[in-house]
Coordinates of all heavy atoms in Angstrom, one line a residue:
M824 N 1.7 15.7 -18.4 CA 0.4 15.3 -17.9 C 0.6 14.1 -16.9 O 1.2 13.1 -17.3 CB -0.6 15.0 -19.0 CG -2.0 14.7 -18.5 SD -3.1 14.5 -19.9 CE -4.5 14.1 -19.1
E825 N 0.0 14.2 -15.8 CA 0.2 13.1 -14.8 C -0.9 12.0 -15.0 O -2.0 12.3 -15.3 CB -0.1 13.7 -13.4 CG 0.3 12.8 -12.3 CD 0.4 13.5 -10.9 OE1 -0.7 13.6 -10.3 OE2 1.5 13.9 -10.5
T826 N -0.4 10.8 -14.9 CA -1.3 9.6 -15.1 C -1.9 9.2 -13.8 O -1.3 9.2 -12.8 CB -0.5 8.4 -15.7 OG1 0.2 8.8 -16.9 CG2 -1.4 7.3 -15.9
N827 N -3.2 8.9 -13.8 CA -3.9 8.4 -12.6 C -4.3 7.0 -12.8 O -4.5 6.5 -13.9 CB -5.1 9.3 -12.4 CG -4.8 10.7 -12.0 OD1 -3.8 11.0 -11.3 ND2 -5.6 11.6 -12.4
I828 N -4.5 6.3 -11.7 CA -5.0 5.0 -11.6 C -6.3 5.0 -10.9 O -6.4 5.6 -9.8 CB -4.0 4.0 -10.9 CG1 -2.7 4.0 -11.6 CG2 -4.6 2.6 -10.7 CD1 -1.6 3.3 -10.9
Q829 N -7.4 4.5 -11.5 CA -8.7 4.4 -10.9 C -9.0 3.0 -10.5 O -8.9 2.1 -11.3 CB -9.8 4.9 -11.8 CG -11.1 5.0 -11.1 CD -12.2 5.7 -11.9 OE1 -11.9 6.2 -13.0 NE2 -13.4 5.8 -11.4
F830 N -9.3 2.8 -9.2 CA -9.6 1.5 -8.6 C -11.1 1.2 -8.8 O -11.9 2.1 -9.1 CB -9.2 1.5 -7.2 CG -7.7 1.6 -7.0 CD1 -7.1 2.9 -6.9 CD2 -6.9 0.5 -7.0 CE1 -5.7 3.0 -6.8 CE2 -5.5 0.7 -6.9 CZ -4.9 1.9 -6.8
S831 N -11.5 0.0 -8.5 CA -12.8 -0.5 -8.8 C -13.9 0.3 -8.0 O -15.0 0.4 -8.4 CB -12.9 -2.0 -8.4 OG -12.6 -2.2 -7.1
D832 N -13.5 0.8 -6.8 CA -14.5 1.6 -6.1 C -14.6 3.1 -6.5 O -15.3 3.9 -5.9 CB -14.2 1.5 -4.6 CG -12.9 2.2 -4.1 OD1 -12.2 2.6 -5.0 OD2 -12.7 2.3 -2.9
G833 N -13.8 3.4 -7.5 CA -13.8 4.8 -8.0 C -12.7 5.6 -7.5 O -12.5 6.8 -8.0
F834 N -12.0 5.2 -6.5 CA -10.9 5.9 -5.9 C -9.8 6.1 -7.0 O -9.5 5.2 -7.7 CB -10.3 5.2 -4.7 CG -9.1 5.9 -4.1 CD1 -9.2 7.0 -3.3 CD2 -7.8 5.4 -4.4 CE1 -8.1 7.6 -2.8 CE2 -6.7 6.0 -3.8 CZ -6.9 7.1 -3.0
V835 N -9.3 7.3 -7.0 CA -8.2 7.7 -8.0 C -7.0 8.1 -7.3 O -7.0 8.8 -6.3 CB -8.7 8.8 -8.9 CG1 -7.6 9.3 -9.9 CG2 -10.0 8.5 -9.7
M836 N -5.9 7.5 -7.7 CA -4.5 7.8 -7.1 C -3.6 8.1 -8.3 O -3.7 7.5 -9.4 CB -4.0 6.5 -6.4 CG -2.6 6.6 -5.9 SD -2.1 5.1 -5.1 CE -2.7 5.4 -3.4
T837 N -2.7 9.0 -8.1 CA -1.7 9.2 -9.1 C -0.8 8.0 -9.3 O -0.5 7.3 -8.3 CB -0.8 10.4 -8.8 OG1 0.0 10.1 -7.7 CG2 -1.6 11.7 -8.5
A838 N -0.4 7.8 -10.5 CA 0.5 6.6 -10.8 C 1.8 6.8 -10.1 O 2.4 5.8 -9.6 CB 0.7 6.5 -12.3
D839 N 2.3 8.0 -9.9 CA 3.5 8.3 -9.2 C 3.4 7.8 -7.7 O 4.3 7.1 -7.2 CB 3.9 9.7 -9.2 CG 5.2 10.0 -8.6 OD1 6.2 9.4 -9.0 OD2 5.3 11.0 -7.8
N840 N 2.3 8.1 -7.0 CA 2.1 7.7 -5.6 C 2.0 6.2 -5.6 O 2.5 5.6 -4.6 CB 0.9 8.4 -5.0 CG 1.2 9.8 -4.6 OD1 2.4 10.2 -4.4 ND2 0.2 10.6 -4.5
Y841 N 1.2 5.6 -6.5 CA 1.1 4.1 -6.5 C 2.4 3.5 -6.7 O 2.7 2.5 -5.9 CB 0.2 3.7 -7.7 CG 0.1 2.2 -7.9 CD1 -0.7 1.5 -7.0 CD2 0.8 1.6 -8.8 CE1 -0.8 0.1 -7.2 CE2 0.8 0.2 -9.0 CZ 0.0 -0.5 -8.2 OH -0.1 -1.9 -8.3
L842 N 3.3 4.0 -7.6 CA 4.6 3.4 -7.8 C 5.5 3.5 -6.5 O 6.3 2.7 -6.2 CB 5.2 4.0 -9.0 CG 4.6 3.5 -10.3 CD1 5.2 4.3 -11.5 CD2 4.7 2.0 -10.5
K843 N 5.3 4.7 -5.8 CA 6.1 4.9 -4.6 C 5.8 3.8 -3.5 O 6.6 3.3 -2.9 CB 5.8 6.3 -4.0 CG 6.5 7.4 -4.8 CD 6.1 8.7 -4.2 CE 6.6 9.9 -5.0 NZ 6.1 11.2 -4.4
I844 N 4.5 3.5 -3.4 CA 4.0 2.5 -2.5 C 4.6 1.1 -2.9 O 5.1 0.4 -2.0 CB 2.5 2.5 -2.4 CG1 2.0 3.7 -1.7 CG2 2.0 1.2 -1.6 CD1 0.5 3.9 -1.9
K845 N 4.4 0.8 -4.1 CA 4.9 -0.5 -4.7 C 6.4 -0.6 -4.5 O 6.9 -1.7 -4.0 CB 4.5 -0.6 -6.1 CG 4.9 -1.9 -6.8 CD 4.5 -2.0 -8.2 CE 5.0 -3.2 -8.9 NZ 4.7 -3.2 -10.3
K846 N 7.1 0.4 -4.8 CA 8.6 0.3 -4.7 C 9.0 0.2 -3.2 O 9.9 -0.6 -2.9 CB 9.2 1.6 -5.3 CG 10.7 1.6 -5.2 CD 11.3 2.9 -5.8 CE 12.8 2.9 -5.7 NZ 13.4 4.2 -6.2
A847 N 8.4 0.9 -2.3 CA 8.7 0.8 -0.9 C 8.5 -0.7 -0.4 O 9.3 -1.2 0.3 CB 7.9 1.8 -0.1
I848 N 7.4 -1.3 -0.7 CA 7.1 -2.6 -0.3 C 8.1 -3.6 -0.9 O 8.6 -4.5 -0.2 CB 5.6 -3.0 -0.7 CG1 4.6 -2.2 0.1 CG2 5.4 -4.5 -0.5 CD1 3.2 -2.3 -0.4
L849 N 8.4 -3.5 -2.2 CA 9.3 -4.4 -2.8 C 10.7 -4.3 -2.3 O 11.4 -5.3 -2.1 CB 9.3 -4.2 -4.3 CG 8.0 -4.6 -5.1 CD1 8.1 -4.2 -6.5 CD2 7.8 -6.1 -4.9
E850 N 11.1 -3.1 -2.0 CA 12.5 -2.9 -1.4 C 12.7 -3.6 -0.1 O 13.6 -4.3 0.2 CB 12.8 -1.4 -1.2 CG 13.1 -0.7 -2.5 CD 14.4 -1.2 -3.2 OE1 15.4 -1.5 -2.5 OE2 14.3 -1.5 -4.4
V851 N 11.7 -3.5 0.8 CA 11.7 -4.1 2.1 C 11.7 -5.7 1.9 O 12.5 -6.4 2.5 CB 10.6 -3.7 3.0 CG1 10.5 -4.5 4.3 CG2 10.7 -2.2 3.3
L852 N 10.8 -6.1 1.1 CA 10.7 -7.6 0.9 C 12.0 -8.2 0.2 O 12.4 -9.3 0.6 CB 9.5 -7.9 0.0 CG 8.1 -7.6 0.7 CD1 7.0 -7.9 -0.2 CD2 8.0 -8.5 2.0
K853 N 12.6 -7.4 -0.7 CA 13.8 -7.9 -1.3 C 14.9 -8.1 -0.2 O 15.7 -9.0 -0.3 CB 14.3 -6.9 -2.3 CG 13.5 -7.0 -3.6 CD 14.1 -6.0 -4.6 CE 13.2 -5.8 -5.8 NZ 13.7 -4.7 -6.7
N854 N 14.9 -7.2 0.8 CA 15.9 -7.2 1.8 C 15.7 -8.4 2.8 O 16.6 -8.9 3.4 CB 16.0 -5.9 2.6 CG 16.5 -4.8 1.8 OD1 17.3 -5.0 0.9 ND2 16.1 -3.6 2.1
E855 N 14.5 -8.8 3.0 CA 14.1 -9.8 3.9 C 14.1 -11.2 3.3 O 14.2 -12.2 4.0 CB 12.7 -9.5 4.6 CG 12.7 -8.2 5.4 CD 13.5 -8.3 6.7 OE1 13.7 -9.4 7.2 OE2 14.0 -7.3 7.1
L856 N 13.8 -11.3 2.0 CA 13.7 -12.5 1.2 C 12.8 -13.6 1.8 O 13.2 -14.7 2.1 CB 15.1 -13.1 1.1 CG 16.1 -12.3 0.3 CD1 17.5 -12.9 0.3 CD2 15.7 -12.1 -1.1
P857 N 11.5 -13.2 2.1 CA 10.6 -14.1 2.6 C 10.1 -15.1 1.5 O 10.3 -14.8 0.3 CB 9.4 -13.3 3.1 CG 9.5 -12.1 2.2 CD 10.9 -11.9 1.9
T858 N 9.6 -16.2 2.0 CA 8.9 -17.2 1.0 C 7.7 -16.5 0.5 O 7.2 -15.5 1.0 CB 8.6 -18.5 1.7 OG1 7.5 -18.2 2.6 CG2 9.8 -19.2 2.3
E859 N 7.1 -17.1 -0.5 CA 5.8 -16.6 -1.1 C 4.7 -16.5 -0.1 O 4.0 -15.5 0.0 CB 5.4 -17.5 -2.3 CG 4.2 -16.9 -3.0 CD 3.8 -17.7 -4.2 OE1 4.6 -18.5 -4.7 OE2 2.6 -17.5 -4.7
A860 N 4.6 -17.6 0.7 CA 3.6 -17.6 1.8 C 3.8 -16.5 2.8 O 2.9 -15.9 3.3 CB 3.5 -19.0 2.4
Q861 N 5.1 -16.4 3.2 CA 5.4 -15.3 4.2 C 5.1 -13.9 3.6 O 4.7 -13.0 4.3 CB 6.9 -15.4 4.6 CG 7.2 -16.7 5.4 CD 8.7 -16.9 5.5 OE1 9.5 -16.6 4.6 NE2 9.1 -17.6 6.6
T862 N 5.4 -13.8 2.3 CA 5.2 -12.5 1.6 C 3.7 -12.1 1.7 O 3.3 -11.0 2.0 CB 5.7 -12.5 0.2 OG1 7.1 -12.8 0.2 CG2 5.4 -11.2 -0.5
V863 N 2.9 -13.1 1.4 CA 1.4 -12.9 1.4 C 1.0 -12.5 2.8 O 0.2 -11.6 3.0 CB 0.7 -14.1 0.9 CG1 -0.8 -14.0 1.2 CG2 0.9 -14.4 -0.6
E864 N 1.5 -13.2 3.8 CA 1.1 -12.9 5.2 C 1.6 -11.5 5.6 O 0.9 -10.8 6.3 CB 1.7 -14.0 6.1 CG 1.2 -13.8 7.6 CD 1.7 -14.9 8.5 OE1 2.3 -15.9 8.0 OE2 1.5 -14.8 9.7
I865 N 2.8 -11.2 5.2 CA 3.4 -9.9 5.6 C 2.5 -8.8 4.9 O 2.1 -7.8 5.6 CB 4.8 -9.7 5.1 CG1 5.7 -10.6 5.9 CG2 5.3 -8.3 5.1 CD1 7.1 -10.8 5.2
I866 N 2.1 -8.9 3.7 CA 1.3 -7.9 3.0 C -0.1 -7.8 3.6 O -0.6 -6.7 3.8 CB 1.3 -8.2 1.5 CG1 2.7 -7.9 0.9 CG2 0.2 -7.3 0.8 CD1 2.8 -8.3 -0.6
E867 N -0.7 -9.0 3.9 CA -2.0 -8.9 4.5 C -2.0 -8.3 5.8 O -2.9 -7.4 6.1 CB -2.6 -10.4 4.6 CG -3.0 -11.0 3.3 CD -3.4 -12.4 3.4 OE1 -3.1 -13.1 4.4 OE2 -4.1 -12.9 2.5
H868 N -1.0 -8.6 6.7 CA -0.9 -8.0 8.0 C -0.7 -6.5 7.9 O -1.3 -5.7 8.6 CB 0.2 -8.7 8.8 CG 0.4 -8.2 10.2 ND1 -0.4 -8.5 11.2 CD2 1.3 -7.3 10.7 CE1 0.0 -7.9 12.3 NE2 1.0 -7.1 12.0
T869 N 0.2 -6.1 7.0 CA 0.5 -4.7 6.8 C -0.7 -3.9 6.4 O -1.0 -2.8 6.9 CB 1.7 -4.5 5.9 OG1 2.8 -5.3 6.3 CG2 2.1 -3.1 5.7
L870 N -1.4 -4.5 5.4 CA -2.6 -3.8 4.9 C -3.7 -3.6 6.0 O -4.3 -2.6 6.1 CB -3.2 -4.5 3.7 CG -2.4 -4.4 2.4 CD1 -3.0 -5.3 1.3 CD2 -2.2 -3.0 2.0
K871 N -3.8 -4.7 6.8 CA -4.8 -4.6 7.9 C -4.4 -3.4 8.8 O -5.3 -2.6 9.2 CB -4.9 -5.9 8.7 CG -5.9 -5.8 9.8 CD -5.8 -7.1 10.7 CE -6.7 -7.0 11.9 NZ -6.6 -5.8 12.7
E872 N -3.1 -3.3 9.2 CA -2.7 -2.3 10.1 C -2.8 -0.9 9.4 O -3.3 0.1 10.1 CB -1.2 -2.5 10.5 CG -1.0 -3.6 11.5 CD 0.3 -3.6 12.1 OE1 1.2 -2.7 11.8 OE2 0.6 -4.5 13.0
I873 N -2.6 -0.8 8.2 CA -2.7 0.5 7.5 C -4.2 0.9 7.4 O -4.5 2.1 7.7 CB -2.1 0.4 6.0 CG1 -0.6 0.3 6.1 CG2 -2.6 1.6 5.2 CD1 0.0 0.0 4.8
I874 N -5.1 0.0 7.1 CA -6.5 0.2 7.1 C -7.0 0.7 8.5 O -7.7 1.7 8.7 CB -7.3 -1.0 6.6 CG1 -7.1 -1.2 5.1 CG2 -8.8 -0.8 6.9 CD1 -7.5 -2.5 4.6
D875 N -6.5 0.0 9.6 CA -6.8 0.4 10.9 C -6.4 1.8 11.2 O -7.1 2.6 11.8 CB -6.2 -0.6 12.0 CG -6.9 -1.9 12.0 OD1 -8.0 -2.1 11.4 OD2 -6.3 -2.9 12.6
D876 N -5.1 2.1 10.8 CA -4.6 3.5 11.0 C -5.4 4.5 10.3 O -5.7 5.6 10.8 CB -3.1 3.6 10.6 CG -2.2 2.8 11.5 OD1 -2.6 2.4 12.6 OD2 -1.0 2.6 11.0
L877 N -5.8 4.2 9.0 CA -6.6 5.2 8.2 C -7.9 5.4 8.8 O -8.5 6.5 8.8 CB -6.7 4.7 6.8 CG -5.4 4.8 6.0 CD1 -5.6 4.1 4.6 CD2 -4.9 6.2 5.8
N878 N -8.5 4.3 9.4 CA -9.8 4.4 10.0 C -9.8 5.3 11.3 O -10.8 5.8 11.7 CB -10.4 3.1 10.3 CG -10.9 2.4 9.1 OD1 -11.3 3.0 8.1 ND2 -10.9 1.0 9.1
N879 N -8.6 5.4 11.9 CA -8.5 6.2 13.1 C -8.2 7.7 12.8 O -8.2 8.5 13.8 CB -7.4 5.6 14.0 CG -7.9 4.3 14.6 OD1 -9.0 4.1 14.9 ND2 -6.9 3.4 14.8
I880 N -7.9 8.0 11.6 CA -7.6 9.4 11.2 C -8.9 10.2 11.2 O -9.9 9.8 10.6 CB -6.9 9.5 9.9 CG1 -5.6 8.9 9.9 CG2 -6.9 11.0 9.4 CD1 -4.9 8.8 8.5
Q881 N -9.0 11.3 12.0 CA -10.2 12.1 12.0 C -10.0 13.3 11.0 O -9.0 14.0 11.1 CB -10.4 12.6 13.4 CG -10.8 11.5 14.4 CD -11.1 12.1 15.7 OE1 -11.0 13.3 16.0 NE2 -11.5 11.2 16.6
I882 N -10.9 13.4 10.1 CA -10.8 14.5 9.1 C -11.5 15.7 9.7 O -12.6 15.6 10.1 CB -11.5 14.1 7.8 CG1 -10.7 12.9 7.2 CG2 -11.5 15.2 6.8 CD1 -11.4 12.3 6.0
K883 N -10.7 16.8 9.7 CA -11.3 18.1 10.2 C -11.8 18.9 9.1 O -11.1 19.2 8.1 CB -10.2 18.9 11.0 CG -9.7 18.2 12.2 CD -8.6 19.0 12.9 CE -8.2 18.2 14.1 NZ -7.1 19.0 14.8
L884 N -13.1 19.2 9.1 CA -13.7 20.0 8.1 C -13.8 21.4 8.5 O -13.9 21.8 9.6 CB -15.1 19.4 7.8 CG -15.2 18.0 7.3 CD1 -16.7 17.6 7.2 CD2 -14.5 17.8 6.0

């Protein structure tokens, strides 16, 4: 049985997909070795770009 993670807004994601995202981010950051402040800035900037990209996706019904 697959485990799901439910977020505060009700969105549900599989635990497997969540872990894939987390692992990918951590792998890149481990290679770059940024400071804590740089890590926060990298993650904030990346999330903003991802949100912008997702907002530009047109869903065809």
Side-chain angles (χ1 to χ4, degrees):
M824 182 173 179
E825 192 168 83
T826 303
N827 292 325
I828 298 171
Q829 184 168 2
F830 295 88
S831 61
D832 68 351
F834 177 76
V835 176
M836 173 184 276
T837 66
D839 186 50
N840 282 338
Y841 174 79
L842 291 174
K843 287 176 186 177
I844 293 168
K845 181 179 173 182
K846 181 179 178 182
I848 291 169
L849 289 174
E850 283 299 314
V851 171
L852 293 176
K853 285 180 196 175
N854 291 332
E855 297 292 330
L856 298 174
T858 65
E859 184 176 343
Q861 291 167 331
T862 299
V863 169
E864 186 174 353
I865 290 165
I866 291 172
E867 286 175 344
H868 180 78
T869 303
L870 288 175
K871 182 189 175 307
E872 286 193 0
I873 290 170
I874 290 167
D875 289 346
D876 289 347
L877 290 173
N878 286 332
N879 289 326
I880 294 174
Q881 294 182 356
I882 299 173
K883 295 180 181 178
L884 299 177

